[in-house]
Amino acid sequence: FAGSSLEKYSKALQEIFRTEVGLGLLGEFLLILSQCLKSGDEEIVIAVLDGLSRTGRFGLNLSLLSQTEQKACEELFHKLQVT
């Protein structure tokens, strides 16, 4: 992949999950990102989320998140907005 590390990271996830993010993986990603977000990681996390949002069936996977995963998603976006 050409480009910066950030572009490579985002594109790599998008390529890996071209068809779709496997059932349950999106929620796991959101839980981990929410729990482990550190100051300075915001730009990378946003790029990762952008890459994941471009995968197939993203909307469907988003609608199938558990309540815990939905809460983690809300917390993650809140943390990103604050910084």
Side-chain angles (χ1 to χ4, degrees):
F1 297 109
S4 70
S5 295
L6 186 58
E7 291 169 333
K8 290 176 190 175
Y9 192 48
S10 181
K11 287 179 185 177
L13 281 177
Q14 188 175 351
E15 286 296 315
I16 290 170
F17 300 109
R18 182 179 300 150
T19 306
E20 68 181 289
V21 178
L23 186 62
L25 285 180
L26 180 60
E28 289 290 322
F29 283 138
L30 294 171
L31 284 167
I32 291 168
L33 290 172
S34 178
Q35 293 169 357
C36 300
L37 180 67
K38 292 186 261 178
S39 180
D41 290 346
E42 296 85 8
E43 190 174 330
I44 293 170
V45 169
I46 290 170
V48 167
L49 293 172
D50 181 56
L52 290 172
S53 72
R54 296 172 193 269
T55 60
R57 301 182 196 170
F58 177 78
L60 176 63
N61 283 315
L62 198 58
S63 70
L64 296 173
L65 293 176
S66 70
Q67 287 183 339
T68 302
E69 294 164 340
Q70 288 175 11
K71 181 149 179 68
C73 184
E74 290 172 10
E75 289 173 1
L76 175 60
F77 277 89
H78 177 73
K79 289 176 185 178
L80 291 170
Q81 287 176 339
V82 169
T83 58

